[in-house]
Amino acid sequence: MMVVFMAHTEFTVKTSEKRQIVDITDKVAPLVKGVKDALCTIYIPHTSAAVIINEHEPNLEKDFLDIFEKLVPKAAWRHNKIDNNAEAHLKSSIAGISTSIPVIDGALALGNWQKIMLCEFDGPRTRRVIVMVR
Ligand code: ZN
């Protein structure tokens, strides 16, 4: 039995739009190869982006961006007096900046339609993704 524990891995994602959803599943899945039973945490050290797990389908991605827009519309948020991105901060905390997935026999225990997606709310930017498996 081989059990591989690593401290952590980090990669970056370059977003190209102001608001965008990027499927990062293929960057995370290889990091759990050889790990029998563990928990994989995906975390982003950012305050204007998020990480969610859901279906990666183009229309649904637009629906997600629309619902975030409806939940947090452009308004006279106080933070906008400082750097004009309060909406992005608020969406980030509503959606969350980390998620965890069980690892079973070297694979993420994702359902058929589940993908790990980075939500950009204030791009384009280079986003760091930190993955911890233990
Ligand atoms: Zn800000």
Side-chain angles (χ1 to χ4, degrees), residues 79 83 85-86 89:
H79 181 72
D83 70 357
N85 68 348
H89 290 294

Side-chain angles (χ1 to χ4, degrees), residues 2-6 31-39 103-107 133-134:
M2 187 180 79
V3 179
V4 178
F5 285 105
M6 56 185 186
L31 305 177
V32 303
K33 288 239 160 70
V35 179
K36 189 158 176 57
D37 282 293
L39 192 62
V103 176
I104 301 169
D105 292 334
V133 183
R134 51 177 64 184

